[in-house]
Amino acid sequence: MRKIICASVWLLFFLGARAQSWVRVNRIGYLPDDVKVAVWVSKEKKTIDSFEVADAQTGKRVYRGEKIVNTGKQPAFESSVRLHFSEFTTPGTYVLRAGGSQSVPFRIGYDVYAEAAEIPLRYMRQQRCGYNPSLKDSCHTHGVVSVGDPDGKRDGISFDVSGGWHDASDYLQYVTTSANAVYQMLFAYSQHPEAFGDRHQANGDDGANGIPDILDEAKWGLDWLLKMNPDSVTYFNQLADDRDHAGFTLPADQRVDYGWGAGKARPVYFCSSLPQGLKKHRNRSTGLASTLGKYASSFALGASVLSEYDPEFSKLLLKKSEQAYRRGAAHPGVCQTAPCGAPYFYEEDNWADDMQLAATEMYTLSGKKEYLKQAVQYGRMEPVTPWMGADSARHYQWYPFVNLGHYRLAAQGDDPKAKQEFIRNLRSGLQRVKERAQGDAFLNGIPFIWCSNNLTVAFITQCRLYHELTGDKTFLEIEVAMRDWLFGCNPWGKCMIVGYPAYGDTPSDPHSALTHLHGIPVTGGLVDGPIYASIFGGLIGVHLSKEDRYAPFQSDVVVYHDDYADYSTNEPTMDGTASLCYYLGYLSAQAHRCETVEGGIIRGDRTEKKIALVFTGHEYADGAGVIRRALKNHQAHASFFLTGDFYRKFPDVARRLQKEGHYLAPHSDKHLLYADWQRRDSTLVSRTVFEQDLEGNYAAMQAAGLKIETPRFFIPPYEWYNREISHWAKAMDVQVVNFTPGTRSNADYTTPEMKNYRSSEAIYRSILSYEAENGLNGFILLLHIGTDPKRTDKFYNRLDDLMHELKQKSYIFVRINELLVEKKHKK
């Protein structure tokens, strides 16, 4: 057996070594509604004219595609094509075959990214300075000594600036990146609160504390920023310098000597308008606004988001934001980080974007019009972030890489002209990158500068926010292409987040002391990413420690190495990782969203084991007693959608159901067929008839003495409708809902002479079979409250058994409004 395994491994290696073409896909997967594109690349000059998607388990073809865009010769490849399969939406796990090659397995489904929002936070907790919950140890406990006071009067003073995050795999700390990280996390939560859970204490240890973990993490950063701003005139910019780069070690074991003893105090640099650098190299600082703008925007958004959790802390943040904003406005210019013995530092050359974002947040928080006016003025100083469309840039030259001030101004809506102006600015930047991407097989228009992955995250963030502002689909394909690039659809087939997905090819040898020396995974960290070969060749100390297994995919244009010795492409960064929180939060939120068909909701949140049992009824009520007893037996509530005729015929049944806590709603007054069975878009009733039919149903409910509950949900007769019916219902403040397809539960009305007849046993098994394979999270499971006497095999007699079996699998039965109404979150 061992010989067979060894032979198989050797054969796979041999075939891999001889491979001349590859299919690259998003290794994590695609949402059903995504623009879905794979990329085929080859070392040979050839073309392909079709491809297929196959079930990953059976190998059976499920889709054949011919929508192919030939992108020709690329760096490292002689041929390439883009393979479009957007129209294939069926959830499942698949492989894609093209040109004699097969992709790795990938998934399609709304829940593909269900846990994505938690991934960056794992790395952020690991980067904590002071008490580190991942290491269960504390580091850098000996305090700091101030240096670089522009007035020369406060150098040599000790301060307590413990806390915060280490910037990357070294242990320096910067306000520039940390304040941006704080803002990114607060912004992510404010946009998609439903995506973020509560599994950790404020100190990062396991255990819920009633506060979403992302806010715990943001507050950890805010606490440090407050220490770095001890009074209204003192603002620090940086903790430690490149003397830190003295070799790999765990943070608690670090013994760098900055002049106060090995492993003792570290220097903390004042924000300065003058160039700084204690040794050979100096930065090019000209003002304070870039750093103080970041202080102000993070404090202001923190004051807003955290107000319900900690009102006193929020008040302090408001005061601090006002002070930082005023001082930043008084000292325009950039406050760059300080180099020391090496020439590398964050060469930030822009500051108006920081002040624009700060002014916008101050306006949002206070409502003062002068802040809005100033935000617009700052925004006009930099309409487009300069890296967008450029071929290159210096290290962190245009930082942050995304201008969220443009989005915040466009979203606030109080100045319609400004709104349109900044929407145009957002579009202009995206268009420049899109134009640069033309002809690229991966649709990548990002310059491969140091930390190119950070720019990629910034770009997809701007794409998503622009789409949500405008509904414009112009940039959807390139947004998804750049997302997919991060998740494996790139020349190397490499996911760029350590350990995500757990089953994928992710950085296994990152530039990290934790991993390299101790085998501790740095899961969740976004690595720097591909870099121009020319930059890689010119960096000090970068090299490869072993044979490059990605050598076939390297070129004289761009390289990426999964090698700890390449700090330029394979080092995780704290701020890059934090910037992922918004987009991964958006993706994760899709698993929480309701699934719709023709404007009607057919499924709720797929991340929670909740089921809404719904019963429809028109002529018959023979199952009412049995159903009521089963629900009572399991202490569960259900939802009943009944026609006006039912309410008039069986008012006592309806009143008893509502008294017992069940949700009652309409199913049409006269059980009319609204849409053609074959041509669904053909509506069979006029809007007037529809409105009269629905209003008649509500009138019958009121006549029966029933309360009309809100929000109002409605299952159309025959469980059949179209988008026009949904639109008409919405105009009446009523949301169409329908059963979740997949099981045969809705066939419990059929009688033996019908072609679609299903016995109760067949229905029962279909439900459990579907659950075993796909799960029933968020399901709307439809049954009937009564059926024709010709059906003697009544499924409601199996309801008690079904509920018992599903409860054994930890499902909870809820009313339809409890399943579909968005959960309340503190903001």
Side-chain angles (χ1 to χ4, degrees):
M1 182 67 179
R2 183 176 178 182
K3 289 181 179 179
I4 293 173
I5 293 174
C6 291
S8 299
V9 170
W10 179 87
L11 179 61
L12 287 172
F13 175 81
F14 177 74
L15 291 174
R18 294 185 59 188
Q20 293 295 300
S21 63
W22 299 265
V23 177
R24 300 307 195 198
V25 296
N26 178 333
R27 286 175 171 266
I28 300 173
Y30 305 84
L31 300 172
D33 301 330
D34 270 344
V35 176
K36 304 181 196 72
V37 183
V39 176
W40 174 86
V41 290
S42 177
K43 293 288 186 178
E44 302 172 329
K45 290 185 177 180
K46 57 189 291 189
T47 60
I48 58 177
D49 56 13
S50 67
F51 64 93
E52 63 182 31
V53 177
D55 185 284
Q57 191 170 31
T58 66
K60 182 180 178 181
R61 187 178 79 186
V62 295
Y63 174 82
R64 184 177 187 274
E66 296 181 350
K67 187 176 180 182
I68 295 174
V69 177
N70 189 344
T71 44
K73 185 178 175 66
Q74 303 286 317
F77 306 106
E78 291 296 320
S79 309
S80 67
V81 296
R82 291 178 59 77
L83 312 169
H84 292 252
F85 59 108
S86 300
E87 65 184 17
F88 183 70
T89 62
T90 305
T93 303
Y94 305 99
V95 293
L96 191 147
R97 301 168 182 154
S101 300
Q102 178 173 294
S103 75
V104 297
F106 60 89
R107 291 180 58 210
I108 295 176
Y110 287 106
D111 61 345
V112 167
Y113 295 97
E115 296 297 317
E118 301 298 324
I119 297 300
L121 300 180
R122 296 181 64 177
Y123 182 72
M124 296 301 293
R125 284 188 289 271
Q126 198 170 49
Q127 288 297 105
R128 287 190 180 191
C129 186
Y131 174 69
N132 188 296
S134 297
L135 302 175
K136 303 299 181 186
D137 200 354
S138 295
C139 65
H140 300 114
T141 59
H142 291 285
V144 301
V145 177
S146 61
V147 299
D149 179 16
D151 297 327
K153 299 177 180 178
R154 292 179 293 169
D155 287 344
I157 301 174
S158 296
F159 287 88
D160 174 18
V161 291
S162 58
W165 303 287
H166 301 131
D167 198 52
S169 295
D170 52 41
Y171 304 129
L172 283 74
Q173 296 175 251
Y174 302 102
V175 169
T176 298
T177 51
S178 295
N180 180 45
V182 167
Y183 186 91
Q184 292 279 356
M185 288 187 285
L186 293 170
F187 178 75
Y189 178 78
S190 70
Q191 297 297 301
H192 295 290
E194 71 276 17
F196 298 98
D198 174 22
R199 303 172 185 175
H200 295 83
Q201 300 288 321
N203 68 355
D205 285 340
D206 291 343
N209 66 343
I211 300 174
D213 293 336
I214 193 168
L215 296 187
D216 282 329
E217 205 60 37
K219 188 176 184 301
W220 180 267
L222 284 167
D223 288 339
W224 183 72
L225 291 179
L226 289 172
K227 290 180 178 181
M228 294 288 278
N229 172 210
D231 57 61
S232 62
V233 295
T234 303
Y235 294 88
F236 291 114
N237 193 38
Q238 174 178 326
L239 177 53
D241 55 43
D242 58 43
R243 285 174 286 181
D244 173 275
H245 300 164
F248 273 173
T249 181
L250 290 180
D253 299 332
Q254 193 179 45
R255 294 294 180 266
V256 177
D257 189 344
Y258 285 98
W260 301 289
K264 301 297 183 181
R266 300 192 294 170
V268 61
Y269 287 75
F270 286 94
C271 288
S272 174
S273 298
L274 302 174
Q276 285 180 316
L278 294 182
K279 290 192 175 182
K280 180 179 179 181
H281 301 281
R282 297 174 71 79
N283 63 25
R284 300 182 299 276
S285 293
T286 62
L288 302 179
S290 63
T291 299
L292 270 61
K294 295 182 181 72
Y295 266 116
S297 58
S298 298
F299 286 156
L301 187 56
S304 175
V305 173
L306 298 176
S307 61
E308 293 189 42
Y309 290 100
D310 192 337
E312 291 305 312
F313 186 70
S314 180
K315 291 177 183 177
L316 174 60
L317 292 178
L318 173 58
K319 177 182 176 181
K320 288 286 191 176
S321 65
E322 292 170 337
Q323 292 173 347
Y325 179 78
R326 286 196 298 270
R327 191 165 180 82
H331 295 82
V334 292
C335 180
Q336 297 177 336
T337 62
C340 190
Y344 305 132
F345 60 98
Y346 291 150
E347 303 182 59
E348 188 174 7
D349 274 347
N350 57 336
W351 57 271
D353 57 335
D354 298 302
M355 292 302 294
Q356 175 193 0
L357 181 58
T360 305
E361 292 301 342
M362 296 302 298
Y363 170 68
T364 303
L365 198 59
S366 69
K368 296 178 180 178
K369 292 292 185 180
E370 60 264 32
Y371 287 128
L372 178 59
K373 181 180 178 181
Q374 292 162 16
V376 171
Q377 291 172 341
Y378 284 125
R380 286 172 177 164
M381 295 173 67
E382 188 180 278
V384 175
T385 304
W387 74 260
M388 303 186 83
D391 292 331
S392 190
R394 294 194 299 275
H395 190 45
Y396 277 55
Q397 184 177 5
W398 312 114
Y399 187 79
F401 306 113
V402 60
N403 188 343
L404 291 176
H406 281 1
Y407 168 74
R408 296 290 270 183
L409 272 179
Q412 52 83 22
D414 292 345
D415 185 339
K417 291 181 67 175
K419 176 184 178 75
Q420 292 307 313
E421 177 181 351
F422 288 101
I423 285 175
R424 287 195 302 271
N425 291 345
L426 290 170
R427 181 185 175 91
S428 294
L430 298 177
Q431 186 62 36
R432 292 180 187 183
V433 177
K434 184 178 179 181
E435 288 171 0
R436 191 172 182 275
Q438 295 309 302
D440 186 83
F442 298 95
L443 214 58
N444 193 328
I446 307 295
F448 294 117
I449 61 172
W450 197 353
C451 295
S452 65
N453 279 346
N454 293 16
L455 274 66
T456 302
V457 175
F459 178 74
I460 61 176
T461 296
Q462 186 160 319
C463 284
R464 173 65 7 208
L465 293 173
Y466 171 81
H467 176 70
E468 292 186 359
L469 276 172
T470 66
D472 184 355
K473 299 180 180 180
T474 301
F475 304 105
L476 286 185
E477 182 177 352
I478 193 171
E479 172 192 333
V480 175
M482 289 297 87
R483 177 202 72 186
D484 295 350
W485 172 277
L486 292 176
F487 297 156
C489 192
N490 55 54
W492 307 271
K494 190 80 170 181
C495 288
M496 295 292 171
I497 303 173
V498 179
Y500 183 63
Y503 51 82
D505 184 4
T506 76
S508 59
D509 189 19
H511 184 78
S512 165
L514 277 71
T515 301
H516 184 64
L517 297 181
H518 301 279
I520 301 172
V522 286
T523 302
L526 176 73
V527 296
D528 291 327
I531 195 171
Y532 286 124
S534 57
I535 296 180
F536 172 77
L539 290 172
I540 299 172
V542 71
H543 64 284
L544 298 184
S545 67
K546 57 183 180 294
E547 185 177 353
D548 180 12
R549 69 187 181 99
Y550 295 96
F553 316 122
Q554 314 294 11
S555 71
D556 58 2
V557 176
V558 59
V559 298
Y560 165 79
H561 308 104
D562 189 357
D563 190 315
Y564 87 93
D566 181 4
Y567 63 79
S568 68
T569 72
N570 212 40
E571 181 176 12
T573 63
M574 178 274 298
D575 64 310
T577 301
S579 69
L580 272 171
C581 289
Y582 162 73
Y583 201 80
L584 292 187
Y586 152 70
L587 292 174
S588 185
Q590 305 314 297
H592 297 263
R593 78 172 193 174
C594 297
E595 185 176 345
T596 63
V597 170
E598 296 289 316
I601 299 174
I602 64 167
R603 191 169 185 172
D605 189 339
R606 298 163 194 76
T607 68
E608 297 184 334
K609 301 198 75 168
K610 293 181 179 180
I611 298 173
L613 289 173
V614 300
F615 299 85
T616 58
H618 175 47
E619 298 179 83
Y620 308 106
D622 47 288
V626 176
I627 293 168
R628 285 179 47 246
R629 286 190 292 274
L631 293 170
K632 185 176 181 179
N633 183 41
H634 293 282
Q635 298 181 321
H637 291 115
S639 305
F640 293 82
F641 293 84
L642 311 169
T643 66
D645 284 346
F646 185 101
Y647 288 119
R648 284 184 284 268
K649 186 175 181 180
F650 305 108
D652 291 341
V653 171
R655 283 193 291 268
R656 185 170 294 179
L657 289 169
Q658 191 168 79
K659 184 177 180 180
E660 291 173 355
H662 305 296
Y663 180 94
L664 269 64
H667 188 46
S668 88
D669 194 42
K670 296 294 183 181
H671 210 255
L672 306 177
L673 182 62
Y674 291 155
D676 189 275
W677 285 111
Q678 278 69 47
R679 296 173 58 232
R680 189 170 188 171
D681 60 351
S682 178
T683 307
L684 302 180
V685 297
S686 68
R687 183 167 187 167
T688 299
V689 169
F690 167 77
E691 291 174 346
Q692 289 174 346
D693 189 52
L694 186 53
E695 287 169 351
N697 202 153
Y698 279 120
M701 292 180 69
Q702 290 175 320
L706 300 169
K707 176 186 175 184
I708 307 299
E709 295 198 54
T710 56
R712 296 187 179 193
F713 295 105
F714 164 51
I715 294 182
Y718 301 100
E719 293 77 55
W720 192 244
Y721 60 98
N722 58 25
R723 191 168 297 277
E724 189 169 39
I725 295 297
S726 296
H727 176 72
W728 291 347
K730 199 73 173 178
M732 300 172 70
D733 199 26
V734 179
Q735 174 64 55
V736 168
V737 295
N738 202 10
F739 66 89
T740 309
T743 72
R744 300 290 186 179
S745 71
N746 59 307
D748 67 334
Y749 75 94
T750 56
T751 56
E753 73 276 9
M754 295 179 177
K755 290 182 179 181
N756 63 334
Y757 174 73
R758 294 291 186 276
S759 69
S760 292
E761 178 63 19
I763 293 171
Y764 191 88
R765 291 301 159 199
S766 78
I767 296 170
L768 296 183
S769 176
Y770 186 94
E771 190 283 328
E773 186 172 348
N774 304 288
L776 296 176
N777 290 15
F779 236 65
I780 302 173
L781 192 68
L782 185 139
L783 302 165
H784 291 83
I785 193 171
T787 61
D788 192 301
K790 288 184 288 186
R791 181 181 180 104
T792 57
D793 179 20
K794 306 287 190 178
F795 184 75
Y796 49 70
N797 290 324
R798 304 291 302 273
L799 179 61
D800 189 76
D801 292 340
L802 178 65
M803 294 181 71
H804 176 77
E805 190 139 7
L806 292 177
K807 283 179 70 175
Q808 292 292 103
K809 298 176 183 290
S810 301
Y811 288 99
I812 300 171
F813 298 99
V814 297
R815 301 183 351 149
I816 192 75
N817 58 319
E818 295 169 332
L819 182 75
L820 302 184
V821 175
E822 187 174 350
K823 293 177 288 186
K824 300 290 185 183
H825 289 263
K826 292 183 178 180
K827 296 186 181 181

